[in-house]
Amino acid sequence: MKRLNLLLGWLLGLVLVCWRITCRYRIENDPRPALRAGNTPYIYALLHAHQLAAVFVNDEPDMAAMVSRSADGDLLAPSLHLRRVRAVRGSSRKAGVDKGGQEALDLLGVLVQQRIPALLAVDGPRGPRGHVYRGVITLAQRTGATILPTAVIPSRRIILHRSWDRFQIPLPFAAVRLIFGAPIVPTDNTEALQAQLGSALAELEATHDAAEFANHR
């Protein structure tokens, strides 16, 4: 089954690469040039619903993302590879059992310190939608990386209404907007950072995708 999922994942990845070529992209409020000039590491923090669109719009020469050790992760990993994104496999705890999340965070920390940006879905892998788990905060605190609240909004898309995250799939010939909120510099106050990041992501969605914001409130 794992080999079948990997094969299907590579086929899906090739389809998505061709699909992506038809789309147009726009970046708004981009803080990255200043961070790069200052040699400051950074982490993309976004909703689980926006993961695939973020892979579409990726303009980094090298990036890393946490991907669950599941059948869904097996399907997603080849698509990430084809878009220059390293799939670091692991998930947060479930029923008190570590699903590789700590190991994945440790590896992401090494990569971020090497100035390879990381991408984390703050509410993954199981929600609730918009809830900021501690992983992205812990990673930023360990590495000193600036957190970039990020929203990726396609003009044309499929929304999986029955999924907990209302996962979004950009359609061919969509205009895809990569939109940044104000960068967040990590402090020792984990709870305050979680609240600040959650508010920033909610504001981005409320401002730039009001219908989706209203649908899950």
Side-chain angles (χ1 to χ4, degrees):
M1 180 61 72
K2 186 177 180 66
R3 289 183 179 180
L4 177 60
N5 283 339
L6 286 173
L7 175 60
L8 291 174
W10 281 108
L11 292 174
L12 175 63
L14 291 171
V15 169
L16 290 177
V17 166
C18 295
W19 196 318
R20 180 191 179 279
I21 293 171
T22 70
C23 296
R24 293 173 288 115
Y25 304 92
R26 188 171 75 194
I27 301 173
E28 302 178 21
N29 305 322
D30 192 353
R32 296 173 301 170
L35 293 172
R36 291 165 181 159
N39 200 31
T40 303
Y42 54 88
I43 302 166
Y44 297 89
L46 72 169
L47 298 177
H48 197 271
H50 295 171
Q51 274 189 310
L52 183 58
V55 173
F56 263 51
V57 79
N58 174 39
D59 60 353
E60 299 280 1
D62 195 2
M63 187 164 70
M66 186 182 291
V67 179
S68 65
R69 294 178 177 176
S70 65
D72 288 347
D74 291 341
L75 286 171
L76 182 60
S79 298
L80 294 175
H81 178 77
L82 291 171
R83 289 297 306 136
R84 307 184 308 278
V85 180
R86 306 186 193 193
V88 178
R89 306 299 295 272
S91 304
S92 55
R93 288 179 177 269
K94 184 175 182 181
V97 178
D98 185 12
K99 308 291 286 186
Q102 186 58 58
E103 181 183 347
L105 276 179
D106 290 344
L107 178 53
L108 284 174
V110 172
L111 295 174
V112 169
Q113 288 174 328
Q114 295 173 354
R115 301 303 186 267
I116 296 171
L119 182 150
L120 276 81
V122 302
D123 51 356
R126 62 185 184 277
R129 192 183 196 277
H131 175 77
V132 177
Y133 285 99
R134 297 168 64 98
V136 64
I137 305 300
T138 299
L139 181 61
Q141 290 170 329
R142 288 179 182 175
T143 61
T146 296
I147 301 170
L148 303 182
T150 307
V152 192
I153 314 295
S155 61
R156 302 174 67 247
R157 60 195 171 180
I158 297 169
I159 297 175
L160 304 184
H161 298 283
R162 294 188 178 182
S163 64
W164 67 265
D165 60 346
R166 296 178 62 86
F167 193 78
Q168 300 181 19
I169 303 170
L171 286 171
F173 305 102
V176 185
R177 300 166 64 201
L178 174 64
I179 310 164
F180 293 101
I184 298 174
V185 177
T187 67
D188 292 334
N189 192 330
T190 300
E191 290 75 17
L193 286 172
Q194 285 177 281
Q196 184 181 0
L197 178 55
S199 295
L201 290 172
E203 182 179 353
L204 280 173
E205 190 173 42
T207 302
H208 300 282
D209 199 5
E212 268 306 282
F213 178 78
N215 273 326
H216 76 270
R217 293 290 156 174

